[in-house]
Amino acid sequence: MTENFRLLPCGDSAVTVEFGDSIRAENSAKVSAFTEQLNKQPLSGIMEIIPTYRSVTICFDPTVLAYEDLEKQIRKAAKRRRRHAQEKKRIFILPVAYGSEFGPDLQRVADHAGISPIEVVRRHATRIYRIDMIGFLPGFPYLSEMDPTLETPRLASPRTVIPTGAVGIGGKQTGVYPMESPGGWNLIGRTPLLPYDPSRTPPVPYQTGDYIRFLPILRAEYERLAKAVAAGDNLIPWEEG
């Protein structure tokens, strides 16, 4: 059987397993399933597994794990991936207050799409988004499958400070800022929950291949949930799909 991946050595202590040359849901699904198989049977000497949109980079200790042995494990995981593709999915639910000070760019997105802010919210919140990659910040999910009418260019001048929990749109993608940081995405709302919480185990509850659904809430509910989070209740609910 022809292999549907490429092995790209990265120096003497890392290798990239590439499943395609473009950002596509099909390639992202392959990455998720392959990473899951590697994590099911961890190999001594593997230091870190880094999944992206279309590839997985594996960092290893060459004094513990020979490249030849790692390559064998990679090929086994790739075969198991094809046999045991994930059938069920975890959908994490993030409540979001849209517009006003929570989403200062909601009107900009609406104007760019030629629709009302209410329609932006409806289209944004009716999709279930796949987490294609986590990066930029711990717990920042790059989400695909957004309604194409909501595609909006990034800001010409990025903000120096974006609040924790801000929900934004950047080009064809949407995502959530897990902590305060600079950024150039269009902010349309904010969740009171903390995608990244170092006091929680694990600090980031979701992973590449999981899904996120946004639930519109009013200000009163946002404030209630924010108080609960401040009191230590920061579990992010999820359901099986």
Side-chain angles (χ1 to χ4, degrees), residues 189-211:
R190 192 187 314 166
T191 178
L193 305 187
L194 300 178
Y196 171 75
D197 183 354
S199 67
R200 182 177 56 205
T201 304
V204 179
Y206 46 75
Q207 58 189 356
T208 299
D210 285 332
Y211 293 76

Side-chain angles (χ1 to χ4, degrees), residues 105-227:
D105 300 319
L106 179 61
Q107 186 64 56
R108 180 174 186 268
V109 173
D111 291 341
H112 187 267
I115 56 179
S116 69
I118 292 177
E119 181 62 14
V120 171
V121 173
R122 188 193 71 79
R123 296 185 188 187
H124 187 264
T126 52
R127 292 291 182 103
I128 297 177
Y129 299 94
R130 177 185 171 83
I131 302 176
D132 282 339
M133 187 177 74
I134 295 176
F136 168 55
L137 295 168
F140 188 105
Y142 287 86
L143 307 177
S144 62
E145 303 179 17
M146 184 177 70
D147 188 314
T149 62
L150 302 183
E151 179 180 340
T152 309
R154 291 170 172 80
L155 302 178
S157 298
R159 292 181 172 90
T160 57
V161 177
I162 289 178
T164 300
V167 177
I169 291 176
K172 297 180 179 180
Q173 296 178 300
T174 186
V176 186
Y177 286 82
M179 62 185 68
E180 186 177 284
S181 75
W185 287 27
N186 301 276
L187 307 183
I188 62 172
R190 192 187 314 166
T191 178
L193 305 187
L194 300 178
Y196 171 75
D197 183 354
S199 67
R200 182 177 56 205
T201 304
V204 179
Y206 46 75
Q207 58 189 356
T208 299
D210 285 332
Y211 293 76
I212 286 179
R213 177 166 63 86
F214 297 111
L215 177 66
I217 59 174
L218 299 176
R219 180 186 299 272
E221 179 66 3
Y222 179 96
E223 293 175 350
R224 184 190 72 79
L225 290 172
K227 289 180 180 179

